[in-house]
Amino acid sequence: MASNFVAELKWRGMIHDVMPETEEHLLEQMRAAYVGIDPTADSLHIGHLVSVMMLRHFQLAGHKPYALIGGATGMIGDPSGKSAERNLLDEKTLRHNQNAIKDQLSRFLDFKSDEENAAVLVNNYDWMKEFSFLEFIRDVGKHITVNYMMAKDSVKKRLTSEAKEGMSFTEFTYQLVQGYDFYHLFKEHNCTLQMGGSDQWGNITTGTEMIRRIGGGKGYALTCPLITKADGTKFGKTEGGNIWLDAERTSPYKFYQYWLNTSDEDAEKFIKIFTFLTKEEIDALIAEHKEAPHMRALQKKLAEEITISVHSKQDLDNAIKASNILFGKSTSDDLKTLDEKTFLDIFEGVPQAEVTKTDIEEGLDMIGALAAKTQFLDSNGAARRELKQNSISVNKEKVKEDYVITSKDLINNKFVLLQRGKKNYFVLVVN
């Protein structure tokens, strides 16, 4: 017997709208539901994670999740929440993106088991590519009126006088294509529920309308709130762009730091949405956090759980070690374990200067490293003064004026980390 999926999402704050009778429908027997995923990149970003978590909870509750890659819809572009059309993709790119996304989804969904509720990945391009335009407007378009389509918020917004650009016919038909997906999955896989962000409600209900009018059946809809941050900045974005699930695009260190830097208010909300901790565990953490907010128990647990889910325990350990390099006690040996990407992520924005391989092979004296060859400090005199005051470190270890930097000091055969006092870092890059 399935557990109560809707009740689980409710206490986690993951329901925005739900069609009447959905909860009862899901409690009757194992059901199938799907979420659509846009394949415009070969990685998901954390904005996708909410709907992935919904699918995971759905599977944990004993139901069968479908992840739908929007190959066909990715070739059109969804107007919801967008002010302009998106780039359209060719089939080769779509297939590459689909495979990469499936790998990431596999960390959350069980595609492989023999259980009846194993997850399934589908691509709407597979059934849309055979459709001719004439067939589509004859077999699908005639069932939905233009009045019905115009009443959708996603369409209305784009047609108002404030919208800078109008809406192409291609985008206008998007809701028919997405609606048809739901009808197709209903007909072929007995999929009765579509889930997504609250901005998808209009598109989802077009699908339930098609199921009713073409298939004489009943479809259900459930949406989650769009994730916002308490300070009004956009969730899932930094100055550098999206926070991706792919370690090549966003290093596990940066990923971990993003969650660790969450505000108290957001951490309390996010830990319910982005982890699988139980209500009791989360309530206990919230209580502990309120006793000693400066210990940041919520943020630490949130960052740990989600980094392990998306990456691995080893990546988490490395991210914690990397964090300690900047903020805690660490040694030259710790620094030398860092890969180049993580090193550059940690010391992003830190002044850099280039020195040659020959400089290092011949031995670079500290005055040269701090002033003469790098201009990190204003003058040789300033460098001598700081060295006398014992405030200079090479790779986190204090040095005197007679210290010479050689290839044994290199991190990743390329970097040396200099430090003045506690907070002033400089990076020597060997070229």
Side-chain angles (χ1 to χ4, degrees):
M1 178 60 195
S3 62
N4 193 331
F5 168 70
V6 174
E8 180 73 18
L9 290 198
K10 265 185 190 152
W11 79 257
R12 289 183 181 274
M14 291 172 76
I15 291 188
H16 186 271
D17 277 312
V18 59
M19 207 171 259
E21 299 168 26
T22 303
E23 190 168 356
E24 295 75 5
H25 174 71
L26 294 177
L27 286 169
E28 286 166 7
Q29 63 185 77
M30 185 184 90
R31 302 289 186 187
Y34 87 97
V35 160
I37 293 167
D38 163 29
T40 44
D42 60 0
S43 172
L44 300 173
H45 52 73
I46 61 175
H48 291 108
L49 267 183
V50 189
S51 50
V52 174
M53 298 303 268
M54 288 165 87
L55 283 179
R56 178 64 183 143
H57 284 300
F58 194 71
Q59 190 170 37
L60 288 171
H63 299 295
K64 188 172 183 72
Y66 283 77
L68 180 142
I69 299 289
T73 28
M75 288 182 159
I76 301 173
D78 174 7
S80 309
K82 304 283 188 309
S83 55
E85 290 202 34
R86 62 173 53 158
N87 297 331
L88 312 182
L89 304 172
D90 60 52
E91 188 173 354
K92 189 178 169 205
T93 309
L94 281 168
R95 294 297 178 198
H96 165 74
N97 292 357
Q98 174 181 322
N99 293 334
I101 288 169
K102 184 173 182 182
D103 283 348
Q104 292 179 341
L105 290 172
S106 299
R107 295 197 61 82
F108 293 88
L109 300 173
D110 179 3
F111 287 97
K112 291 190 174 149
S113 80
D114 300 328
E115 298 293 325
E116 207 184 342
N117 73 328
V120 179
L121 188 85
V122 291
N123 188 330
N124 63 6
Y125 184 70
D126 294 332
W127 57 84
M128 292 306 296
K129 68 180 174 187
E130 303 303 333
F131 242 131
S132 75
F133 177 67
L134 290 175
E135 281 176 316
F136 191 77
I137 57 174
R138 184 193 66 200
D139 298 344
V140 180
K142 71 175 183 191
H143 293 282
I144 302 291
T145 66
V146 169
N147 311 47
Y148 179 85
M149 293 170 74
M150 296 281 282
K152 301 290 185 186
D153 285 343
S154 58
V155 175
K156 274 191 199 158
K157 275 182 202 152
R158 291 289 295 276
L159 296 179
T160 59
S161 52
E162 291 104 65
K164 287 194 180 73
E165 296 175 40
M167 185 181 201
S168 69
F169 175 73
T170 306
E171 287 186 291
F172 181 58
T173 56
Y174 184 94
Q175 60 172 293
L176 289 182
V177 179
Q178 186 172 329
Y180 183 79
D181 287 342
F182 195 178
Y183 169 67
H184 175 88
L185 291 176
F186 174 81
K187 190 178 60 172
E188 300 297 325
H189 301 281
N190 198 21
C191 181
T192 53
L193 172 65
Q194 187 185 349
M195 305 186 289
S198 58
D199 59 342
Q200 292 294 313
W201 183 258
N203 291 337
I204 296 173
T205 50
T206 300
T208 63
E209 194 65 8
M210 273 189 202
I211 288 168
R212 184 177 73 78
R213 292 186 187 185
I214 307 175
K218 185 158 173 53
Y220 296 84
L222 185 153
T223 60
C224 59
L226 294 179
I227 303 296
T228 53
K229 286 170 69 177
D231 63 4
T233 56
K234 197 166 167 55
F235 168 74
K237 284 215 185 318
T238 63
E239 285 171 18
N242 286 324
I243 302 292
W244 299 92
L245 272 53
D246 180 350
E248 291 302 310
R249 287 170 175 254
T250 300
S251 68
Y253 164 76
K254 266 202 162 160
F255 186 86
Y256 172 78
Q257 283 294 324
Y258 179 83
W259 299 100
L260 196 62
N261 291 323
T262 306
S263 71
D264 289 356
E265 195 179 335
D266 287 336
E268 199 170 311
K269 181 168 78 171
F270 294 168
I271 201 156
K272 294 173 185 167
I273 297 171
F274 296 108
T275 76
F276 297 102
L277 299 174
T278 64
K279 189 168 189 314
E280 292 70 32
E281 288 170 318
I282 289 174
D283 288 344
L285 269 169
I286 291 171
E288 181 190 336
H289 184 87
K290 286 188 171 149
E291 287 287 307
H294 63 284
M295 297 302 289
R296 299 176 73 72
L298 272 178
Q299 284 92 337
K300 284 178 184 166
K301 190 65 173 167
L302 169 67
E304 283 170 18
E305 291 286 319
I306 198 161
T307 304
I308 291 173
S309 289
V310 169
H311 296 291
S312 68
K313 175 72 168 75
Q314 188 184 348
D315 286 323
L316 169 69
D317 293 342
N318 290 342
I320 291 172
K321 189 158 65 174
S323 302
N324 290 339
I325 283 167
L326 209 47
F327 308 114
K329 298 254 186 280
S330 59
T331 64
S332 146
D333 288 342
D334 293 334
L335 278 170
K336 286 176 184 167
T337 62
L338 296 176
D339 61 86
E340 182 172 338
K341 191 167 187 345
T342 307
F343 180 86
L344 289 172
D345 279 345
I346 296 172
F347 298 105
E348 192 176 11
V350 166
Q352 295 188 356
E354 291 190 2
V355 292
T356 65
K357 233 184 173 80
T358 314
D359 289 333
I360 299 295
E361 281 163 1
E362 290 175 355
L364 178 62
D365 66 277
M366 289 313 298
I367 304 298
L370 290 168
K373 286 201 179 259
T374 64
Q375 279 79 58
F376 285 148
L377 301 182
D378 297 340
S379 64
N380 292 356
R384 282 198 185 87
R385 197 163 51 251
E386 295 290 348
L387 285 157
K388 279 201 173 72
Q389 288 170 0
N390 202 27
S391 61
I392 300 295
S393 304
V394 171
N395 294 342
K396 290 281 185 178
E397 290 172 7
K398 295 277 188 195
V399 294
K400 301 274 189 226
E401 192 178 331
D402 59 0
Y403 192 82
V404 177
I405 295 172
T406 62
S407 42
K408 73 173 177 354
D409 295 302
L410 291 182
I411 300 163
N412 245 295
N413 291 319
K414 192 169 184 184
F415 306 108
V416 180
L417 181 69
L418 304 178
Q419 193 177 351
R420 184 187 72 190
K422 280 191 173 167
K423 294 195 172 155
N424 294 304
Y425 287 101
F426 311 99
V427 174
L428 285 180
V429 184
V430 181
N431 278 326

